[in-house]
Structures are given as C-alpha cells and as structure tokens.
Amino acid sequence: MTKIPVPFLILVTLVINTQARQKSTNAKATYKTVTVYTTAEKTDYRLTKTATLNLTPFGQPLETQPCVFLDATRKFQTIVGIGGAITDASAETFAKLPAAGQDELINAYFNTEKGIGYSLIRTNMNSCDFSSDSYAYVADNDVALKTFNIAHDETYRIPMIKRAMATAGGRVPLFISPWSPPAWMKDNNSLLQGGKLKEPYKQSWANYYVKYIKAYEAKGIPVWGLTVQNEPMAKQRWESCLFTAEEERDFIKKYLGPTLQQQGLASKKLIAWDHNRDLLYQRATTILNDPAAAKYVWGIGYHWYETWTGSAMQFENLKRVHETFPDRNLIFTEGCVEKFDLNRIQEWSIGERYGFSMVNDFNSGTVAWTDWNILLDETGGPNHVGNFCFAPVHADTKTGKLIYTNAYYYLGHFSKFIKAGARRIGTAASRDKLSTTAFMNPDGRLVVIVLNLSNDELPYKVWLQGTAAELTSLPHSIATLIIE
C-alpha cells in the first residue's frame, strides 16, 4: 500500500477547505422581504414607508407582466458617497438661522436616522459665485504664499463643515474646488471673467492647494480630494479660469501632481475636468492617454449643465469614458436647477431632474454624486453676481423657517439608503416608463431605486432569483426598495 506523504494530505485538506469556503461565500443569499419608501406628486408621501412585502416563488415572467429584474451576483462600481456642497452662501445662510433651525438643517442632511445621511461634502477654495464677495487667501504678489491664511473661512464655513461631519458620525469625504487663482496670478488680473493662469505662477498656484489642504486639516477637517479647476471651459462673469485639455494635462503632470506627492499628499484624490458631460470624453482622453499626467489622476468630475445648449443630459459620454478608462473613477461634482423663482419652489420637475440624473449617472459607472449648495436663502443666494439658483432646502431668513423642495426627498431616496462601500448590481426594467438602478450595501441588503416620470400608475413586480413581489409605481414618483 502506497503511503501518502503527510505534507500532501495537509495541502489537499487546505484546498478542500478553501473551495468549501468559496462555495459558501458565492452561495446566493436568501432574500425574503421588500420594504418600500415612496415620494410621489399629488400625495403626502415624502420618503414615506408605504409597504412591506414578501418575496414569493415566481418563475418565468410573461411579457404582459411588467418587471424590475435584479441580479445580485453581478457587481459593478463601489460607491464612495452621496452629498452636497457647503459653500460660503450655504454657511452664511446657516448662520442666520436660530439654533433650532441650525439643528434641524444639519440633522436633515447628515443624520442617518433623522435625515438623509449625506456622506460626501464639497467646498470652494477662494471665492465662487455663491460667496458674498470675491476674495483669496494671500496678499497681492505674494508668490511665496507667506501671507496665506484661511481666516475668512473660520467665521462661517469651517464651523458648519465641522458640525456636519460630527453629525454624520466622524469622517466624511470632503473635496475642494477652486473657481479662480488670485487675480494677480492671471493674465486678465481679475478673479472674474475667465482669464488664464500665468506661467510664472503655476508652481505657486500648485503650492496654494497644499497650503489650503494643510490649513483645513490643521483645523481638524480631513480633506479627501480636490478638483483641478471648476468649469475650466467657462468664461463666467463670476470667478473662473480657463484651461484647455492640454493645459490642464500639463498643469497636472508638471506642477500639481508632483507637488502633492512631494508634500505628502499623494493619497488625496485628484479629480480632473469638473465641468459638463458634453466635452467629457475629449478632456478625459487628452489627460488620461498621457501616462505622466494619468498617474496622478484618481478620476474625472462632471456637471449636468450641458443642457444650456439645448442638449439632453449626455449619459452616453459617461459610458464612453467608463469603458475607455475602467481603472479611473467618475464623480458627479455639481448640479443644481438654475434661475431661482420662489413661485416655482415646489415644482415637481425640480426633484425629477435629480432622480433622472442620478439613476443614469450611477448606471453609467459613477462612484460619487455631489449636489451643489445644500442651503440657500429665500432669494436663491447669497450670490455676489446675481446668479440665483435652487437648493434642496431654502431658509426664510426673516422667519427662520426651512423650506424643503422635492429635490431634498429625491436625493434622500439615494443618500439615506445607499451606504459608502455599496456595490452597484445588475438591474433592468421591462417597461421604458420605469427607470431603475440597484446596489448591494456592505451588510448585504439590496437597495433598489425605481423612478417613474410618467403620468401613469404602473403595477410591476420586482423579480429576484426566481422570486417576486408585486408593487405599484405611482405617477411622477420615486421609490426605494430595501430587500433583505
């Protein structure tokens, strides 16, 4: 009888045990219940729990049976967070609220139980249009940045960011975006009206980001990432600065990327573009096809304002970038409904724009989604150039009351339930009037978004692993289904 060596037996045992563990890990989870939260026009439903259902055996659906299909075995991008921007305008408006109003606002956004659980924050470096005035953090012609200080931000913005982070439970990814370098660094000698960064000041401007990040972190606010330039192809009457794709590429590879590395900030997520979807592919290919620039770039940021040209939202451009550069990340960095009008504040299309964008952005590979101002006043400001816009929440600074638009609830259908670290999973609807995206949270629960932009009430089944539950999608509604 042949004697089998002991080491070989040990190896076989290890292989068998490993395979058993893999089979156990890969085994399909058993999902049993569906909890439904709904927001719908012409109802009182606002992120309201409207049903708890059981999944029961259901085989092959017929073509006459509308379905939302789920495949939890197919996993895609990992979600970083969903949130909004704390700008000067948001922080100044917040400071005008009474203590109770401030508590309400912070909880409404950042408390995971009482509110919608924001998990991402953006803020402006130097002034932007949603500031009460124009400013920078250094004195004129201080190339060495010896006068650099962030005293301006300590009055309103830093305290609000700290409260938001504390309410959210600690660390929340925060990224910074500049609208313009100091005026003296630019060829038009102005923070406003576009202009370009002068060659002699490119290193000084790269050092500026480092100063800002380290100043915030010294105040106890960790900085997760940064964009190179807000809207680098837009000459605006407010703070702006122009970079062609080649100029942004070269600034990244010659100045900003190396400076971050040399200053111990290589872990910060560097985000290029930060402008609309229309030129996204050209900007991404120009920067990411250059290995010397691409090695510094974590992802490509984008906005939704390409519609100003008369175009629809160009989600196909996101898909092209995602399939071309699958090792880079897509992040929605800004969006709002423009041209504020208090008479339109409860217009249902405002929230639907958010829902439509978010479903399609996530399905196109986006890993993080950032709204613009989280709070504005009753005029859609403050804004030092009169560019007044909608926010999900407005404050009536005369009465101290908060006004919640439906955009707040549409955002909450995503941010409250989709946790950082969630993975998007396979989903598809059998009717074009239902739009859907779905995720698996780190705890294994499934989060399914079903959007209905039509005037029709649509019965449908949510179908998973040969089981289904029957639901009804109300006209002009969004629903979040929690499956566990």
Side-chain angles (χ1 to χ4, degrees):
M1 181 175 173
T2 305
K3 196 171 184 180
I4 300 173
V6 172
F8 180 78
L9 289 173
I10 294 172
L11 177 62
V12 170
T13 303
L14 286 171
V15 170
I16 292 171
N17 288 341
T18 300
Q19 289 175 339
R21 282 196 300 271
Q22 287 175 341
K23 285 181 180 178
S24 175
T25 301
N26 293 334
K28 290 182 179 179
T30 301
Y31 293 99
K32 297 179 180 178
T33 63
V34 181
T35 305
V36 184
Y37 297 84
T38 304
T39 294
E41 188 181 26
K42 297 178 182 177
T43 72
D44 294 329
Y45 297 155
R46 298 293 183 271
L47 267 173
T48 304
K49 184 177 178 180
T50 51
T52 301
L53 308 167
N54 293 319
L55 288 165
T56 57
F58 191 87
Q60 174 62 54
L62 301 175
E63 291 175 299
T64 54
Q65 296 173 311
C67 288
V68 168
F69 299 107
L70 303 174
D71 182 357
T73 68
R74 297 294 176 179
K75 298 181 181 68
F76 304 100
Q77 77 269 24
T78 300
I79 302 305
V80 170
I82 299 169
I86 296 179
T87 58
D88 289 319
S90 295
E92 290 165 23
T93 302
F94 180 75
K96 294 176 182 177
L97 290 171
Q102 291 186 356
D103 289 343
E104 179 186 340
L105 189 282
I106 288 292
N107 280 314
Y109 273 116
F110 294 97
N111 189 301
T112 56
E113 298 300 322
K114 299 177 183 177
I116 60 174
Y118 266 12
S119 55
L120 187 65
I121 301 172
R122 184 192 192 205
T123 200
N124 51 290
M125 181 175 77
N126 288 343
S127 57
C128 65
D129 49 331
F130 281 92
S131 302
S132 291
D133 57 356
S134 295
Y135 64 87
Y137 302 111
V138 294
D140 286 353
N141 303 312
D142 178 10
V143 178
L145 310 181
K146 292 180 179 178
T147 59
F148 188 96
N149 74 85
I150 57 168
H152 176 280
D153 296 7
E154 292 176 28
T155 305
Y156 300 116
R157 201 147 35 106
I158 284 175
M160 187 180 184
I161 291 171
K162 284 186 172 183
R163 283 187 66 175
M165 287 188 167
T167 303
R171 298 173 71 92
V172 176
L174 167 78
F175 68 98
I176 65 170
S177 297
W179 268 243
S180 175
W184 53 270
M185 290 188 183
K186 296 169 64 184
D187 61 7
N188 68 344
N189 294 307
S190 173
L191 287 163
L192 319 181
Q193 297 288 343
K196 288 181 178 280
L197 178 63
K198 291 181 180 178
E199 186 67 35
Y201 301 125
K202 287 183 176 177
Q203 184 57 58
S204 186
W205 181 229
N207 295 341
Y208 202 99
Y209 298 77
V210 171
K211 289 273 192 182
Y212 187 75
I213 291 169
K214 290 188 174 181
Y216 260 60
E217 295 194 332
K219 297 290 182 183
I221 300 176
V223 175
W224 168 82
L226 64 157
T227 71
V228 179
Q229 168 63 45
N230 178 74
E231 299 187 348
M233 288 302 295
K235 178 184 177 182
Q236 305 283 25
R237 66 181 189 275
W238 54 84
E239 287 80 350
S240 44
C241 184
L242 302 177
F243 286 82
T244 66
E246 292 78 12
E247 287 167 344
E248 185 177 7
R249 176 198 65 198
D250 293 347
F251 179 63
I252 290 169
K253 73 178 179 181
K254 294 179 182 178
Y255 299 97
L256 187 54
T259 300
L260 292 170
Q261 280 207 337
Q262 292 159 11
Q263 295 297 318
L265 301 179
S267 64
K268 306 305 179 187
K269 311 304 189 229
L270 183 57
I271 300 162
W273 187 221
D274 198 11
H275 203 165
N276 298 329
R277 299 184 189 96
D278 49 3
L279 302 183
L280 183 79
Y281 189 77
Q282 183 260 346
R283 184 69 52 142
T285 54
T286 301
I287 293 171
L288 297 179
N289 281 336
D290 184 330
K295 67 182 181 181
Y296 298 115
V297 177
W298 174 84
I300 304 294
Y302 65 94
H303 301 179
W304 72 14
Y305 308 112
E306 68 269 19
T307 53
W308 76 270
T309 65
S311 168
M313 292 186 186
Q314 295 184 276
F315 304 114
E316 287 299 313
N317 288 351
L318 298 179
K319 294 174 183 176
R320 295 294 83 77
V321 172
H322 183 56
E323 68 188 11
T324 306
F325 305 103
D327 61 337
R328 293 299 189 275
N329 299 283
L330 286 168
I331 173 172
F332 184 91
T333 47
E334 184 188 316
C336 74
V337 175
E338 299 171 281
K339 299 179 181 178
F340 180 78
D341 179 351
L342 190 60
N343 295 319
R344 293 180 54 213
I345 202 160
Q346 295 302 338
E347 194 171 280
W348 203 256
S349 63
I350 293 173
E352 289 192 325
R353 182 179 174 98
Y354 279 84
F356 180 69
S357 181
M358 294 179 82
V359 165
N360 286 281
D361 290 337
F362 284 123
N363 284 343
S364 301
T366 295
V367 304
W369 210 95
T370 328
D371 184 35
W372 189 207
N373 304 279
I374 69 169
L375 176 68
L376 293 173
D377 66 19
E378 66 273 19
T379 71
N383 185 295
H384 70 88
V385 289
N387 180 35
F388 301 121
C389 296
F390 287 91
V393 183
H394 286 264
D396 184 333
T397 57
K398 299 179 182 67
T399 65
K401 300 295 185 183
L402 296 176
I403 306 166
Y404 294 83
T405 74
N406 53 72
Y408 169 82
Y409 300 102
Y410 272 76
L411 277 156
H413 274 273
F414 296 82
S415 62
K416 185 174 180 66
F417 303 106
I418 302 165
K419 305 302 181 183
R423 297 280 303 277
R424 185 171 67 86
I425 63 170
T427 184
S430 66
R431 294 293 187 272
D432 65 348
K433 290 180 180 178
L434 297 178
S435 300
T436 181
T437 189
F439 306 83
M440 180 184 287
N441 272 332
D443 64 5
R445 289 192 294 179
L446 306 184
V447 179
V448 186
I449 310 294
V450 179
L451 180 70
N452 179 359
L453 303 179
S454 80
N455 296 321
D456 300 329
E457 183 175 292
L458 301 169
Y460 70 99
K461 297 180 185 297
V462 59
W463 187 98
L464 171 67
Q465 298 172 2
T467 65
E470 191 161 346
L471 302 91
T472 298
S473 177
L474 297 176
H476 295 283
S477 71
I478 185 169
T480 300
L481 285 51
I482 308 299
I483 302 179
E484 51 192 327

